[in-house]
């Protein structure tokens, strides 16, 4: 016992000593980098996806001593913004963590804003879903009661994360599985850790064959705090709102959401060991790849996947942050994700990273023209629509990595999307045609100074909220999801006509869609629902009509109220009451040319008609005999 204690103390001291001698990460800025400079940086093995920030000052990077040496050797000029990044992160976290915990508790009482789908016409939402929301500001997501910050600069350690998964299961055993080994062959990480997944669904311990599946992963790069913390926030939010929020209840009942919160648990454990207060900068796994300085051993798991592995934007140098390994899928951590993925049929995947404020999607490791020539469908239309909706409020830049940053081959997204036929480098893709993203969770450009791999703890929940829309929509889009669009004016001018709606099918799982319209106000004498819509293809919008007749006694400005409900095969997606107003174009009419003033009740003068008309032959006047005398009083 003593021996074990002593050796673990020694190990600890040793790690701390290594750490203090190698405070070797700096935040630097390269002013106005040219395209050539960016390409050179990429060729040097710098990661330009997760930690690169481009702002008005230039390109900001967080680099190790080794990397800086390479930048210097190429004659690229830079300024150092933060000399000792680990210390900076740890000091900031230590200073702000107590306040952040306090603020988080205070936020747990905030209110939930309601969604709407037509600013003028929706009077009451009966069954809401966030995809329909079209307010000016993002929904004010109430902080889940159980969401909390971790001990490591606000981030959970490996053991704290696993304890959270256990707590979720103990509080919500009917909708979240026991944490389970993600490897179908019980493979472990290099250092022998189990990679866990959980499933959120009804019947959570069973994989129900017909339920659409969505996958979320985090901590592939083990210093990217928000890639884990946003998932914990989202998971608690779903669990706590199941049963009270009908859309979340339906989502959980009819779909399966899978989470691998920590892909690279060895890397995270290492960061905990060397920088227990946060600020550890181990990104890769813990493979010994040579005489590297602290944090720079290892293989970049997000460059170790098969499809177009080694095609560019990854390094052959063992100490580089983007070292891809000697062959694809050389690492147990990437093998575990591969095998888990192949065991399922995920429709959409969000492989979370941080902190570039971007929504990157495959393909990122190969020139689009090469894929087009090979007949690979890059699904850009679907990505464009989904990205637009997912980033509507957080304003993340979006697109394929090749456009947003630089080529980075061997990444998870490309392999998950890729066909089962190998390209010019690497191996085949998964052959599942799954749409996959890398959300780069950040605090937004306005909070750049508080952001970073280890964001200010005060910002961790904000960053998590910024990911909520993308997380929810990934689930909706995986399933039988459609949106309803009200295409009719709020003014109804005729006693009969059509209420027109658009049904926009945005899901990846086939379904019929039914729009049911039901009268509420008694001035509607008939209202017919459109027919069931079948065979819709993703992104298709069909316009449908609901013919109506109004009671002839309806008065101008009377409210016409009815209910709309959009359903898929599983049940309601959205339901709301709609109010229109009867505003006939002609309120009343009378022809004085024929009738004179016989239809009018005259008072206060001698009303009649005159031939002095603006148009036609007669006009109505209160002095038919001619002009008044001067200075005459009339009432
Ligand atoms: Zn990353």
């Amino acid at each position: 016992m003593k021996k074990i204690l002593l050796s673990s103390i020694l190990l600890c001291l040793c790690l701390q000593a290594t750490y203090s001698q190698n405070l070797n990460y700096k935040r630097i800025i390269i002013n106005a980098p040219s395209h050539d400079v960016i390409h050179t940086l990429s060729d040097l093995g710098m990661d330009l996806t997760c930690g690169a920030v481009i702002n008005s000052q230039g390109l900001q990077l967080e680099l190790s001593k080794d990397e800086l040496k390479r930048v210097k050797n190429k004659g690229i000029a830079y300024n150092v913004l933060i000399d000792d990044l680990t210390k900076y992160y740890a000091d900031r976290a230590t200073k702000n963590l107590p306040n952040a915990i306090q603020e988080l508790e205070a936020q747990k009482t905030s209110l939930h804003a309601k969604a709407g789908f037509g600013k003028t016409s929706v009077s009451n939402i009966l069954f809401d879903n966030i995809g329909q929301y079209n307010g000016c500001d993002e929904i004010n997501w109430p902080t889940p009661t159980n969401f909390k910050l971790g001990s490591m600069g606000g981030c959970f350690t490996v053991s704290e994360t696993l304890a959270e998964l256990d707590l979720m299961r103990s509080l919500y055993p009917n909708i979240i599985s026991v944490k389970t080994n993600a490897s179908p062959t019980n493979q472990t990480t290099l250092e022998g850790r189990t990679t866990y997944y959980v499933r959120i669904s009804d019947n959570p311990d069973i994989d129900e064959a017909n339920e659409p599946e969505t996958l979320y992963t985090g901590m592939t790069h083990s210093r990217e705090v928000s890639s884990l913390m946003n998932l914990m926030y989202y998971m608690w939010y779903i669990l706590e709102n199941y049963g009270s929020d009908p859309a979340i209840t339906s989502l959980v009942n009819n779909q399966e959401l899978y989470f691998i919160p920590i892909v690279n648990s060895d890397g995270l454990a290492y960061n905990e060991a060397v920088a227990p207060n946060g600020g550890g900068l181990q990104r890769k796994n813990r493979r010994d790849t040579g005489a590297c300085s602290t944090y720079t051993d290892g293989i970049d798991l997000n460059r170790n996947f098969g499809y177009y592995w080694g095609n560019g934007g990854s390094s052959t140098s063992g100490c580089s942050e983007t070292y891809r390994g000697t062959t694809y899928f050389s690492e147990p951590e990437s093998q575990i994700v591969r095998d888990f993925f192949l065991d399922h049929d995920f429709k959409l995947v969000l492989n979370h990273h941080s902190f570039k404020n971007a929504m990157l999607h495959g393909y990122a490791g190969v020139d689009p023209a090469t894929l087009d020539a090979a007949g690979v469908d890059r699904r850009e239309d679907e990505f464009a629509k989904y990205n637009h909706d997912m980033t509507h409020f957080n304003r993340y830049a979006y697109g394929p990595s090749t456009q947003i940053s630089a080529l980075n081959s061997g990444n998870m997204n490309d392999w998950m999307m890729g066909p089962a036929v190998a390209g010019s480098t690497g191996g085949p893709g998964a052959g599942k045609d799954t749409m996959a993203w890398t959300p780069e969770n950040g605090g937004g450009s306005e909070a750049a100074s508080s952001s970073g791999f280890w964001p200010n703890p005060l910002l961790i929940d904000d960053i998590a909220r910024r990911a909520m829309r993308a997380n929810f929509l990934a689930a909706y889009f995986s399933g039988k999801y459609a949106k309803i669009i009200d295409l009719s004016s709020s003014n109804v001018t005729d006693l009969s006509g059509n209420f027109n709606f658009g049904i926009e099918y945005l899901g990846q799982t086939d379904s019929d869609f039914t729009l049911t319209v039901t009268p509420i106000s008694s001035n509607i004498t008939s209202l017919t629902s459109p027919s069931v819509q079948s065979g819709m293809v993703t992104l298709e919008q069909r316009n449908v009509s609901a013919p109506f007749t109004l009671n002839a006694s309806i008065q101008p400005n009377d409210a016409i109220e009815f209910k709309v409900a959009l359903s898929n095969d599983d049940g309601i997606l959205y339901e709301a009451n709609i109010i229109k107003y009867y505003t006939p174009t002609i309120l009343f009419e009378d022809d004085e040319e024929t009738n004179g003033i016989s239809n009018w009740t005259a008072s206060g003068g001698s009303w009649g008609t005159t031939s002095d008309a603006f148009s036609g032959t007669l006009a109505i006047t209160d002095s038919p005999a001619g002009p008044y005398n001067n200075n005459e009083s009339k009432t």
Side-chain angles (χ1 to χ4, degrees), residues 114-182:
K114 272 287 187 187
F117 85 120
K119 279 174 196 156
T120 53
S121 294
V122 173
S123 66
N124 187 24
I125 297 165
L126 307 166
F127 190 111
D128 204 356
N129 77 63
I130 65 114
Q132 289 280 170
Y133 178 72
N134 66 354
C136 296
D137 298 309
E138 178 57 293
I139 293 167
N140 181 21
W141 311 99
T143 304
T145 309
N146 285 291
F147 177 75
K148 54 183 176 288
L149 300 177
S151 67
M152 185 168 49
C155 182
F156 288 127
T157 63
V158 174
S159 59
E160 286 169 352
T161 305
L162 300 184
E164 286 291 300
L165 300 183
D166 290 342
L167 181 62
M168 288 175 182
R169 168 68 178 190
S170 72
L171 292 177
Y172 299 97
N174 296 325
I175 50 171
I176 184 167
S177 68
V178 173
K179 69 178 193 296
T180 307
N181 192 338

Side-chain angles (χ1 to χ4, degrees), residues 47 49-50 221 224 283 302 352-354 438 440 453:
D47 170 48
T49 50
C50 295
H221 292 146
E224 296 175 6
R283 157 188 165 96
N302 207 31
H352 280 283
H353 288 247
S354 74
T438 295
E440 289 280 359
F453 290 122

Side-chain angles (χ1 to χ4, degrees), residues 52-69:
V53 173
I54 293 179
N55 56 31
S56 54
Q57 277 85 51
L59 172 65
Q60 183 186 298
L61 296 168
E62 312 210 329
L63 300 180
S64 68
K65 205 158 60 184
D66 303 339
E67 288 176 309
L68 269 180
K69 211 183 287 171

Side-chain angles (χ1 to χ4, degrees), residues 26-61:
K26 296 184 196 305
R27 181 180 291 174
I28 63 143
I29 191 155
I30 298 169
N31 294 313
S34 66
H35 240 74
D36 284 350
V37 166
I38 289 175
H39 277 287
T40 305
L41 292 168
S42 176
D43 292 344
L44 288 173
M46 309 292 150
D47 170 48
L48 298 178
T49 50
C50 295
V53 173
I54 293 179
N55 56 31
S56 54
Q57 277 85 51
L59 172 65
Q60 183 186 298
L61 296 168

